[in-house]
Amino acid sequence: MTWLNDLLTAFYTAKWQVTADQAIYWREIVGNAFGLGSALFGLRRSAWAWPVGIVGNILLFTVFLGQAVGNDQGTPLYGQAARQVFFLITSVYGWWLWRRNRRTGEGVAVVPHWAGPRQRLVLIAAALLAVIACFFVFRQVGAGFPVPWWYYLADSWIFVGSMLATYAMARGWVEFWLCWIAVDLVGVPELLHFGYYPSAVLYAVYAGFVIWGFVVWLRISREPRPPVEDKVHAHAGN
């Protein structure tokens, strides 16, 4: 399998030399393309959103570790890298849940709806505490890198917001689109500042799909659905 190792090595090291001082790894471009594909499948409520996203997560994990794994692109973004690991784990859960829903539910992978008041309160409180905890953890891990303090806070916000959004997507909560908007508002400026230009462009483009997706899911969530009793009786009649 030498040819396969050579192919993977060539892909891993391939980069686009934009200027004499700025290079972009093709892994970042391809990984973000898979991320965009995952968003489109998610908009259509297709379970393919999860495996497609997993491929992008693996590629982007190797990108955002930056200098920590020998990349010459730039400063490691630990929050961006760590969230790829969480995405992968949550994607397995989401893939299983959406496929199960299609088999046992109404024939669709997920029915968009708002989270309950108690669920929303718990998630917001947990998110705020997680942002504070991640800020201190990321600051300790990246103590050797000459970056401003706000970098760790921004990375923590992106990491926690992404976790919340992915979990909410798996549960079918309309709020997950709003979480992604909050992530994009911080993520685009941060990525531009540290030179991860393909990811910044993807985030900006993704923001448009997020707004579109929010409108679509909001409209579906407002559509009347038959009461549980009616669905049970109809199922029994079949």
Side-chain angles (χ1 to χ4, degrees):
M1 300 295 287
T2 303
W3 65 270
L4 180 58
N5 291 333
D6 292 342
L7 181 62
L8 292 176
T9 300
F11 176 67
Y12 187 85
T13 57
K15 55 187 176 182
W16 173 26
Q17 199 69 39
V18 182
T19 67
D21 302 322
Q22 178 65 42
I24 297 173
Y25 283 89
W26 282 102
R27 283 176 285 131
E28 184 177 359
I29 297 175
V30 175
N32 280 305
F34 274 93
L36 181 58
S38 176
L40 291 174
F41 279 118
L43 176 64
R44 297 177 61 84
R45 295 186 289 161
S46 169
W48 278 103
W50 302 106
V52 170
I54 287 174
V55 176
N57 299 151
I58 295 173
L59 292 174
L60 292 176
F61 175 78
T62 69
V63 171
F64 289 128
L65 286 180
Q67 295 169 348
V69 292
N71 295 343
D72 58 4
Q73 185 169 7
T75 302
L77 301 183
Y78 291 111
Q80 294 277 9
R83 75 184 188 134
Q84 305 303 323
V85 178
F86 180 85
F87 285 166
L88 196 153
I89 296 172
T90 309
S91 293
V92 173
Y93 166 71
W95 194 4
W96 168 79
L97 182 61
W98 283 26
R99 286 174 60 85
R100 189 198 65 175
N101 291 344
R102 183 174 292 278
R103 291 194 306 268
T104 62
E106 302 174 349
V108 295
V110 65
V111 178
H113 61 283
W114 291 96
R118 182 177 179 181
Q119 294 170 320
R120 194 177 300 126
L121 180 62
V122 170
L123 288 175
I124 291 176
L128 291 176
L129 292 175
V131 168
I132 296 173
C134 287
F135 169 74
F136 289 104
V137 171
F138 292 163
R139 197 168 187 177
Q140 288 298 316
V141 172
F145 296 100
V147 292
W149 68 269
W150 57 260
Y151 152 76
Y152 300 106
L153 183 60
D155 228 24
S156 300
W157 174 263
I158 292 170
F159 176 56
V160 174
S162 299
M163 290 195 301
L164 183 61
T166 309
Y167 176 74
M169 175 181 172
R171 297 294 301 272
W173 295 341
V174 179
E175 286 93 340
F176 101 85
W177 297 105
L178 300 179
C179 293
W180 278 126
I181 292 175
V183 169
D184 288 342
L185 289 175
V186 177
V188 172
E190 183 196 52
L191 291 166
L192 286 173
H193 180 83
F194 289 106
Y196 291 86
Y197 299 115
S199 295
V201 172
L202 185 279
Y203 268 46
V205 172
Y206 185 65
F209 286 101
V210 166
I211 296 173
W212 179 24
F214 173 71
V215 173
V216 171
W217 276 41
L218 179 62
R219 184 176 67 246
I220 296 174
S221 71
R222 291 176 174 175
E223 293 177 354
R225 291 192 295 273
V228 176
E229 294 81 1
D230 293 348
K231 290 189 290 185
V232 172
H233 292 159
H235 181 73
N238 292 333

